[in-house]
Amino acid sequence: MSYFEQFMKANQAYVALHGELNLPLKPKTRVAIVTCMDSRLHVAQALGLALGDAHILRNAGGRVTEDMIRSLVISQQQMGTREIVVLHHTDCGAQTFQNESFHEHLKNELGVDVSDQDFLPFQDVEESVREDMQLLRESPMIPDDVVISGAVYDVDTGSMREVY
Ligand SMILES: [Zn+2]
């Protein structure tokens, strides 16, 4: 039995809370947040965001990848966002492995050789935020006047500290 049935049921209750909103497609704050998929990070609650306020782009680690940049370009050039926040967090799953051992795991587990693929693990969470802010600053797809900030979220306390 999957959770899906439960989700469908929960959604029925949500519809009553949601009501008819007709919010505009373009995010109100003109901000895109690049962050991790971690289940302990409720981005909207942690940052005081409401529906329609911001784009929240998530992947494993909250890393700036080719596809993250694809989403940011659409966010900016189609939906008018002008600011980016890179938000990584403590105790991240991307800190729990290294490429080499993960490649080996995938070979054993799935029988695939993906030894040329970087799964973007990191050790130091502030360093990973800086790296990703730098990638955004260097990208020709991100205009120079876009404001780029970074922070680390603490999954134990819910607090956020800025990374420079
Ligand atoms: Zn994470």
Side-chain angles (χ1 to χ4, degrees), residues 107-122:
K107 199 162 201 175
N108 295 334
E109 207 56 33
L110 306 172
V112 292
D113 180 4
V114 285
S115 50
D116 56 344
Q117 192 168 340
D118 187 354
F119 286 88
L120 303 171
F122 56 83

Side-chain angles (χ1 to χ4, degrees), residues 7-67:
F7 296 155
M8 292 302 286
K9 205 167 174 186
N11 178 254
Q12 288 174 3
Y14 180 66
V15 167
L17 288 173
H18 188 281
E20 179 91 22
L21 288 177
N22 299 309
L23 293 166
L25 173 62
K26 295 184 178 184
K28 192 165 105 185
T29 62
R30 305 179 84 198
V31 177
I33 294 149
V34 173
T35 194
C36 183
M37 64 188 184
D38 195 283
S39 63
R40 299 163 296 177
L41 172 49
H42 195 306
V43 181
Q45 281 181 4
L47 277 62
L49 295 167
L51 288 177
D53 280 355
H55 282 154
I56 300 171
L57 315 176
R58 306 185 77 154
N59 66 19
R63 306 308 314 263
V64 172
T65 60
E66 205 175 305
D67 192 63

